[in-house]
Amino acid sequence: MRVPVSWLAEFVAIPSDLNELVAALDDLGLVVEGVERVGDGLTDVRVAQVKEIYPIEGADRIRRVMVDAGGDPLQIVCGAMNFTVGNFVPLAPVGAVLPGDFAIAERKMKGVTSYGMLCSGKELGLDADHSGLLLLDHYPGVTPGTPLMSLLGLTADVVLEISPEGNRPDAWSVKGIARDLATRFNQVFSDDISTAALLSAPHSELGHIANPEVCGRLNVVALTGVVVTSSPAHIAQRLEMAGMRPVNNVVDASNYVMLERGQPTHPYDTQHVAGGQLGVRTARSGESLVTLDGVTRTLGSPGRGLGDTGIDCVIVDGSDTIIGLAGVMGGGSSEITAATTDVLLEVAFFDPMTIARTSKRIGLRSEASHRFERGVDVDDADAVAQRFIDILALSSPDIRIVGRSVSSGQLPVREPITLNEHHIENVLGTPIDLATAERLLTGIGFRVDHIGDELIVRAPASRLDVREGLAGRADVVEEIARLFSYRELPRRVPTWPQPGRLSTRQRDRRQLRSIAVGLGWLEAWTPSLVSESDFAITDPATTPIRITNPLVSDEALFRRSMMVGLARAWARNAERGHGDVALFEVGTVATHPAESAQPRRDRGGVGGVLELALPEEREILTAVLCRPGDSAETAVASWHVFSERLGLRETEFVKGDAPTGWHPTRFAEVRDTSTGALIARIGEVHPSVVNELVLQQFSGSRVGLLEVELDAVTDRDVVRRRDDHVDVPSRFPSASFDLALVTPVGVSRHELERRLATAHDLVESVTFFDVFRGSQLPPGTRSLTFTVRLSSHERTLTDADILDGRTALLAAAATVGASLR
Amino acid sequence: MSSLVDSLATLVASARAAVAASQSLAELEILSAELLGKKSVLATSQKSLASLTPEERKSAGASVHETRQILESLLADKRTALEGVALAAKLESEALDLGDVVVGSVRLPVQAGSPGIVALTQVALEDVFVGMGFEVADGPEIETDWYNFEALNIPPAHPARGMWDTFYVDLGEPETVLLRTHTSPTQIHLMREAVRNNSLPIHAVMPGRCFRRDTPDARHLAAFHQIEGLVVDEGITFADLAGVIENFTREYFGPDITSRLRPAYFPFTEPSAEFEITCTICRGDGCRTCSHTGWIELGGCGMVDPAVFAAVGIDAERYSGFAFGFGIDRCAQMRHQIADMRALTENDVRFLRRFS
């Protein structure tokens, strides 16, 4: 909200130091986001009358002009051509500093000295016109030497751009902000509006409320003798400073009062309101209205928005025809025009949630709806109406009040809040005495009764944000703390007996990342929301999790895989010559609940009464290995490091079907041997995918691919880890020999290795170190070579021991059909 | 005329057989030349059109055109099929039993790896809070409206929902499933769980990815990371909140950086505050980054609103608590002086390597 300081000063004495004011506002939660000086640089500008104009020899774009600016004639060199002798124009004399720190000094042009500058509207910061001088002839009472600001009715001011707390209805008004300041500075808050004229007006049937649940109060005032014209300069200037465009004196008065007091009002042209009466009711389904912006709005039916009741509050005329969308925007039919002479002024309290729902559904947020949906001050209605009349009377002095009416509906009712010193101390951690609390609350309009050691607090109608009960008590304590100043409150570092810690899962996540970094990989951050086409690369036959309202169509589906995102990140780097890289990401992927046998279920919907099936989220580490020489083999070797560092007890490679987007014949799943739990996938990006994503020069590259399931890794029940027991190696010499075993292709290396490792007590280790395939071997077999190391904790091995071990090893191999080559 | 039509029909029949019989892409290319080339039956038929009457030419021309289309599509389908066969054969020829890979003989390149800047920052923040006695909790990225909003005292259609531009997920009733707009729903999960297990108090921080339907710019990303803290215990006050914020600020940003609170509004806390810290660029002297105030805004905090306790079933007369939250990305941005946040998602390896 843009607030001129001079406006605040009408309610409260403002400190002369602007910084002090800004700091106080910030500390009150009325954050000042900008400070703008208005009229700065115009104070020295005066009205000058053009007396003589001469050409300058050798120059056709500038002229010598003699002007009268209220003293001796002045010589000015001027490049504008839009004036003639007798015109009144603005003069910035030598020494003036125009907006934008533009200092005026004596200047010599073509040998002629200029003692000042005649100005355009743009040079003065008044408008955007730079085509010629700002001509002032039409201003009444224009005389040479008059200060420009007094001629234009401008006063120098400072405009504060204030961002109030979103919930506070009162802070969206000059009055509300001023009241906070008065309380903070312990100054008098003066708000004296004499409503005698209004209250003495006769009661007449001007309004009625058909649906009391949507309208708590409807005040209508009938005015006559209205002359529609432009507003006085200082009113127009205030509106402009506050960011609103002046329209005419009636609309301006309405806007002025809204900015000042926070209550939107609506003036109707009485002659275009059938029966000269206003009514409030809910719209019937299918009714419509053309709002002031020319758009037809269909009313009375709920939209798709959650919690939308479809109830719209409308203003109707005496024949029940809708003429306005209450609290949001009026209709065009009864708009104030130059011909208007009679005005019906509506000052109402509408149900905040009704306004909020309507404004959200039709996507129309106005200054009025913004205030109504927070709750306006119903107790201020008469002052608001009177203020409107007073402001309008400045430019339309013959207006008369011909009637008024007050209709009542349902207003919010709140129980008072009880508060004692303990309540305050329990929240703030410091005692604030009740007398101080009382002073602060009373200052901002709360009604406080101090009874014994308790305060009975009633929030004013301007503070509908203050609730009842425990929540209300918290609201009141916040007000006390805010006005007292948060910065004055003490700090304490709490302690508790429970130690801080990471969960197993979080430690495992960190370990996965640290292993990846140790392997020389770089961690990327790729989008969680992906395009249809990228999604289809890895998950064509699955149901995607679709975003209803994506920002761009390329980010419409929640990812189910990170492979394409990482491959794209690589491709972009490769195109810039930085493709020698392995990228990884630890992140969340999700599957549609329709694909889970038992999807996650949790409460949702209005009141949380629905049980919703939700996507299953998994956290995984995915890596793409894109360096020269990378392939499924480097992915396997990398996995080996993961497996060892994680201390996985016993895993095996299972061929399985490669997921879409993976190379179909260079793929394996890693599973826990005993539980069968899937821990990781290893392989390569499918060559077609590589070709699709990267530039020609990189097509044909092998891209190693690894995916590790954090959820599996961290679940010690399904993925077993080595226990803490450590076998200390034997101090006796060990014997080692190689075994090359012709093994059927159907028998996995893991399986054979496991048999060998458990073949005999003396086996210390079995290390796989070579594979050989060739026509020399029987069909359907390959030769696997292991180094076997035998040792004993009790003695040096004898030849007999070694032979015994070897025999056992070969026997174990034979159980899976493997034999010595 | 009718003989032309007949011969075209014969041509299609024989072409169909020939295409079906072709075994390789090379064979198919030869066949393609025979069927569609300059000396093909089709080409000859095309030429013969010139000798027909305009009437005849019209219908015969259509037949020729149709035949060409049939042949082209036959060839294209077969080409796709043969390419698929060729690719499958190639992939089959490359087959590798990963179990047979000899790890000891694979040479991995030596490079310095690096965690992502967000992860690095998150870990550093977690460590500070763990040191201060907090546990770390995770929560889902896809939430229901109840967890993300209503339980946090933001009822449906309430104007406060406008504070968060939300991505909704096409599941259930409209606007009931969404991408979490903040980490606060994790608070609700934690409190409900604590009530269920009778395991209060709670002292936890909750880091994670969040989403807002905001067009990315230098200071905002549509996806971002937040860390949130929640303490629910007996006798917890605003003074404890301010103390924790101050302790964290000095611990993470350094001893010459301090914090201050100013009033703010969040539906889920009351009293609420925004917390600012000494500008890390100018150390409080005032500069462009802090708009010459010496302070920069870091996050929001406050005492847990009684309405939130009511939603999760915690006795607000017995327990009180505070919550705070701020951007992990923003901390990273400030600490590493990254002018444009979008660098975080561009994944330029020259940038990624800086955090080794």
Side-chain angles (χ1 to χ4, degrees):
Chain A
M1 182 171 176
R2 291 170 55 85
V3 182
V5 171
S6 67
W7 210 339
L8 289 172
E10 291 182 8
F11 291 92
V12 62
I14 297 294
S16 53
D17 178 359
L18 185 63
N19 290 333
E20 187 187 342
L21 175 64
V22 169
L25 287 166
D26 272 345
D27 193 43
L28 284 163
L30 300 163
V31 178
V32 178
E33 295 189 327
V35 176
E36 191 182 305
R37 287 167 195 279
V38 176
D40 239 18
L42 297 186
T43 40
D44 295 330
V45 179
R46 282 177 285 150
V47 175
Q49 187 174 28
V50 178
K51 293 295 188 188
E52 298 153 50
I53 305 177
Y54 303 100
I56 296 173
E57 204 172 321
D60 52 2
R61 296 183 168 230
I62 50 175
R63 296 184 293 180
R64 184 164 72 88
V65 183
M66 296 304 294
V67 300
D68 170 11
D72 294 336
L74 273 174
Q75 172 176 290
I76 310 288
V77 178
C78 180
M81 298 291 170
N82 68 324
F83 60 94
T84 183
V85 171
N87 277 148
F88 292 92
V89 294
L91 166 76
V94 170
V97 182
L98 293 183
D101 278 339
F102 179 24
I104 305 298
E106 274 184 30
R107 260 184 92 191
K108 204 172 238 185
M109 282 171 277
K110 294 281 177 186
V112 183
T113 304
S114 182
Y115 298 92
M117 186 175 89
L118 304 179
C119 310
S120 69
K122 188 177 180 189
E123 282 157 346
L124 297 172
L126 293 172
D127 59 36
D129 190 0
H130 198 46
S131 62
L133 301 186
L134 180 68
L135 298 180
L136 304 168
D137 300 56
H138 61 286
Y139 281 89
V142 61
T143 43
T146 311
L148 180 69
M149 289 184 59
S150 67
L151 179 74
L152 300 184
L154 299 177
T155 42
D157 211 334
V158 175
V159 180
L160 303 176
E161 175 80 47
I162 295 180
S163 163
E165 296 166 48
N167 62 328
R168 275 184 61 191
D170 65 315
W172 298 90
S173 69
V174 175
K175 175 187 162 187
I177 293 168
R179 188 150 56 185
D180 266 15
L181 285 172
T183 309
R184 166 56 61 89
F185 292 135
N186 218 350
Q187 291 279 346
V188 177
F189 173 70
S190 46
D191 179 29
D192 306 316
I193 293 176
S194 167
T195 51
L198 177 76
L199 298 182
S200 63
H203 273 275
S204 46
E205 291 296 314
L206 298 173
H208 74 279
I209 299 171
N211 295 86
E213 70 280 10
V214 294
C215 181
R217 182 78 58 80
L218 173 66
N219 291 28
V220 183
V221 181
L223 301 170
T224 189
V226 175
V227 176
V228 177
T229 175
S230 51
S231 290
H234 73 280
I235 299 291
Q237 192 197 1
R238 281 252 168 102
L239 290 176
E240 284 191 11
M241 284 192 290
M244 294 192 90
R245 192 174 49 89
V247 180
N248 59 48
N249 56 343
V250 180
V251 173
D252 293 352
S254 172
N255 285 335
Y256 189 93
V257 173
M258 175 179 72
L259 294 170
E260 182 175 274
R261 311 191 71 84
Q263 165 77 55
T265 61
H266 197 98
Y268 300 83
D269 184 330
T270 313
Q271 283 166 343
H272 293 104
V273 177
Q277 285 181 320
L278 299 178
V280 180
R281 62 167 171 86
T282 56
R284 292 182 273 272
S285 180
E287 280 187 306
S288 65
L289 168 73
V290 181
T291 41
L292 273 174
D293 53 7
V295 181
T296 304
R297 314 280 179 176
T298 305
L299 307 172
S301 310
R304 281 174 53 89
L306 189 69
D308 187 4
T309 54
I311 294 172
D312 293 315
C313 179
V314 293
I315 307 294
V316 294
D317 61 17
S319 64
D320 203 38
T321 303
I322 299 179
I323 57 171
L325 194 47
V328 181
M329 194 176 268
S333 63
S334 51
E335 199 179 345
I336 302 298
T337 67
T340 303
T341 56
D342 291 54
V343 166
L344 280 180
L345 182 70
E346 161 219 306
V347 184
F349 175 94
F350 300 115
D351 172 54
M353 281 306 290
T354 304
I355 302 300
R357 287 192 200 100
T358 298
S359 142
K360 183 184 175 218
R361 167 156 34 79
I362 66 177
L364 190 60
R365 301 182 56 78
S366 59
E367 291 277 348
S369 72
H370 187 80
R371 288 172 173 83
F372 278 120
E373 65 187 26
R374 283 164 177 76
V376 294
D377 183 357
V378 70
D379 291 345
D380 202 36
D382 290 333
V384 164
Q386 184 65 57
R387 186 71 172 140
F388 172 87
I389 294 163
D390 295 347
I391 298 289
L392 183 54
L394 296 174
S395 53
S396 178
D398 299 328
I399 50 172
R400 279 183 301 115
I401 308 170
V402 290
R404 59 186 283 262
S405 74
V406 179
S407 317
S408 293
Q410 289 166 17
L411 284 169
V413 181
R414 290 172 288 175
E415 288 294 314
I417 292 146
T418 334
L419 194 68
N420 62 34
E421 278 185 13
H422 291 297
H423 294 143
I424 300 175
E425 188 170 358
N426 286 349
V427 175
L428 300 182
T430 188
I432 291 181
D433 63 81
L434 289 187
T436 304
E438 184 181 357
R439 177 181 70 78
L440 297 174
L441 292 171
T442 315
I444 54 167
F446 283 60
R447 233 182 80 199
V448 181
D449 294 307
H450 194 154
I451 299 169
D453 56 1
E454 278 187 340
L455 299 183
I456 311 295
V457 181
R458 287 179 179 81
S462 60
R463 293 302 304 271
L464 262 192
D465 56 313
V466 177
R467 296 162 291 174
E468 299 181 309
L470 282 178
R473 189 182 288 159
D475 293 336
V476 171
V477 172
E478 179 180 68
E479 288 306 300
I480 295 168
R482 190 174 67 81
L483 296 163
F484 185 82
S485 177
Y486 280 14
R487 287 174 205 161
E488 302 301 317
L489 298 172
R491 297 169 173 186
R492 179 182 81 165
V493 180
T495 56
W496 44 76
Q498 297 82 358
R501 61 186 178 83
L502 295 175
S503 68
T504 311
R505 180 193 164 88
Q506 288 148 1
R507 285 200 304 271
D508 287 340
R509 182 196 292 137
R510 286 190 180 193
Q511 200 186 358
L512 286 185
R513 179 177 284 121
S514 113
I515 296 166
V517 170
L519 284 163
W521 303 350
L522 301 179
E523 186 172 21
W525 165 9
T526 69
S528 300
L529 299 178
V530 301
S531 67
E532 300 265 355
S533 54
D534 276 6
F535 187 89
I537 292 175
T538 47
D539 299 279
T542 64
T543 313
I545 297 163
R546 194 173 295 280
I547 302 301
T548 319
N549 56 340
L551 207 51
V552 287
S553 62
D554 273 0
E555 297 169 4
L557 306 181
F558 201 92
R559 67 184 175 189
R560 204 186 146 110
S561 156
M562 302 191 293
M563 184 248 272
V564 176
L566 285 166
R568 282 200 184 283
W570 165 59
R572 266 195 307 279
N573 282 293
E575 285 163 18
R576 298 177 192 154
H578 303 285
D580 178 11
V581 69
L583 295 173
F584 79 102
E585 179 169 4
V586 181
T588 301
V589 295
T591 48
H592 195 279
E595 301 194 356
S596 312
Q598 295 205 301
R600 174 163 71 98
R601 289 185 178 278
D602 221 326
R603 56 189 297 192
V606 180
V609 297
L610 302 175
E611 197 194 43
L612 299 167
L614 295 165
E616 183 198 340
E617 293 181 21
R618 283 150 54 228
E619 212 175 339
I620 59 176
L621 177 149
T622 303
V624 291
L625 315 180
C626 317
R627 302 156 297 194
D630 268 325
S631 69
E633 291 182 278
T634 50
V636 169
S638 304
W639 167 252
H640 177 74
V641 176
F642 275 91
S643 182
E644 289 298 311
R645 292 268 320 266
L646 291 168
L648 302 186
R649 188 190 288 179
E650 205 176 351
T651 61
E652 62 189 352
F653 284 20
V654 178
K655 277 190 179 164
D657 285 335
T660 313
W662 292 62
H663 195 303
T665 63
R666 299 165 74 84
F667 170 78
E669 293 172 349
V670 182
R671 291 184 178 272
D672 184 289
T673 309
S674 122
T675 67
L678 176 72
I679 309 168
R681 293 185 184 83
I682 306 176
E684 272 169 28
V685 179
H686 195 292
S688 308
V689 175
V690 175
N691 292 348
E692 189 179 327
L693 296 182
V694 302
L695 287 177
Q696 193 69 37
Q697 65 191 103
F698 301 102
S699 69
S701 310
R702 290 196 184 280
V703 176
L705 186 54
L706 178 66
E707 220 174 71
V708 185
E709 299 278 342
L710 173 62
D711 302 79
V713 163
T714 204
D715 185 342
R716 303 298 197 266
D717 290 334
V718 301
V719 175
R720 296 160 311 138
R721 305 282 187 101
R722 285 194 292 262
D723 56 28
D724 294 339
H725 170 82
V726 176
D727 281 322
V728 178
S730 164
R731 279 183 279 108
F732 295 99
S734 55
S736 76
F737 49 85
D738 295 346
L739 291 177
L741 298 166
V742 178
T743 314
V745 289
V747 175
S748 76
R749 185 263 304 172
H750 278 106
E751 176 65 20
L752 178 55
E753 192 173 292
R754 185 164 54 244
R755 303 252 171 174
L756 296 177
T758 54
H760 196 279
D761 289 345
L762 294 179
V763 176
E764 181 190 295
S765 66
V766 178
T767 309
F768 174 54
F769 85 90
D770 189 34
V771 60
F772 173 76
R773 293 182 187 82
S775 54
Q776 303 93 318
L777 299 174
T781 67
R782 83 283 199 209
S783 167
L784 303 174
T785 309
F786 300 88
T787 298
V788 180
R789 190 169 287 273
L790 304 182
S791 67
S792 158
H793 283 280
E794 282 105 39
R795 60 182 193 283
T796 303
L797 297 181
T798 63
D799 286 351
D801 288 332
I802 295 167
L803 186 61
D804 194 32
R806 191 180 159 88
T807 309
L809 284 159
L810 291 178
T815 60
V816 290
S819 57
L820 213 51
R821 183 172 159 193
Chain B
M1 164 70 205
S2 69
S3 70
L4 176 65
V5 174
D6 289 346
S7 74
L8 288 176
T10 317
L11 172 63
V12 169
S14 66
R16 204 179 289 279
V19 167
S22 75
Q23 297 287 319
S24 70
L25 283 167
E27 264 179 53
L28 193 69
E29 289 321 308
I30 295 167
L31 188 56
S32 169
E34 284 171 10
L35 291 173
L36 301 172
K38 280 182 185 164
K39 292 176 182 166
S40 64
V41 174
L42 197 67
T44 321
S45 311
Q46 180 91 40
K47 277 178 208 148
S48 73
L49 292 176
S51 62
L52 300 176
T53 67
E55 289 279 291
E56 290 171 329
R57 194 183 303 149
K58 197 174 176 189
S59 81
S63 301
V64 171
H65 178 68
E66 189 190 344
T67 307
R68 176 177 294 276
Q69 283 186 323
I70 293 171
L71 296 184
E72 280 173 352
S73 105
L74 277 175
L75 288 164
D77 289 352
K78 184 68 178 184
R79 195 171 290 122
T80 308
L82 284 175
E83 277 169 359
V85 170
L87 178 62
K90 176 176 175 287
L91 295 177
E92 202 49 53
S93 75
E94 300 175 342
L96 178 66
D97 182 342
L98 300 193
D100 286 358
V101 171
V102 180
V103 167
S105 60
V106 177
R107 289 285 159 260
L108 293 177
V110 174
Q111 286 180 334
S114 171
I117 178 176
V118 173
L120 197 69
T121 309
Q122 179 177 328
V123 162
L125 292 168
E126 284 172 359
D127 287 348
V128 169
F129 284 111
V130 166
M132 290 166 67
F134 286 79
E135 291 184 35
V136 182
D138 301 310
E141 293 178 9
I142 303 171
E143 281 284 5
T144 73
D145 64 307
W146 191 81
Y147 280 91
N148 195 75
F149 289 129
E150 190 167 344
L152 290 159
N153 193 32
I154 315 163
H158 193 273
R161 281 203 189 183
M163 291 165 73
W164 295 270
D165 289 322
T166 310
F167 281 118
Y168 290 101
V169 176
D170 194 8
L171 277 174
E173 301 286 307
E175 299 188 2
T176 55
V177 181
L178 45 78
L179 303 188
R180 66 174 173 190
T181 60
H182 44 192
T183 41
S184 309
T186 306
Q187 287 188 19
I188 303 298
H189 287 289
L190 274 188
M191 288 190 275
R192 272 165 60 87
E193 195 179 295
V195 168
R196 225 171 10 240
N197 302 338
N198 201 14
S199 63
L200 285 169
I202 296 169
H203 318 99
V205 289
M206 294 144 266
R209 188 174 289 191
C210 309
F211 302 84
R212 283 193 201 161
R213 202 175 172 280
D214 267 337
T215 307
D217 62 26
R219 290 187 57 185
H220 303 90
L221 299 171
F224 61 99
H225 301 82
Q226 240 185 14
I227 186 164
E228 177 130 344
L230 174 70
V231 169
V232 178
D233 206 338
E234 293 178 47
I236 293 294
T237 70
F238 198 77
D240 298 314
L241 166 62
V244 164
I245 296 280
E246 176 66 9
N247 229 11
F248 155 74
T249 303
R250 289 173 184 277
E251 193 65 27
Y252 182 74
F253 289 102
D256 53 342
I257 302 292
T258 183
S259 66
R260 69 175 191 188
L261 304 182
R262 71 175 180 204
Y265 166 65
F266 304 107
F268 31 84
T269 49
E270 193 79 25
S272 301
E274 243 153 29
F275 64 95
E276 297 173 297
I277 61 166
T278 318
C279 177
T280 53
I281 306 290
C282 63
R283 307 270 140 179
D285 294 338
C287 66
R288 272 185 48 200
T289 303
C290 59
S291 309
H292 304 283
T293 61
W295 296 92
I296 38 180
E297 202 179 301
L298 190 64
C301 61
M303 301 300 293
V304 179
D305 195 291
V308 175
F309 280 147
V312 297
I314 289 180
D315 178 2
E317 298 271 19
R318 178 174 169 196
Y319 288 99
S320 57
F322 64 76
F324 58 86
F326 53 92
I328 296 174
D329 314 320
R330 179 132 172 76
C331 279
Q333 183 182 30
M334 276 160 39
R335 187 150 174 165
H336 301 282
Q337 294 165 31
I338 298 164
D340 192 330
M341 291 275 248
R342 287 169 289 196
L344 302 188
T345 51
E346 280 164 0
N347 296 318
D348 186 320
V349 300
R350 292 166 296 179
F351 177 77
L352 299 182
R353 285 211 171 92
R354 293 298 310 279
F355 304 99
S356 302

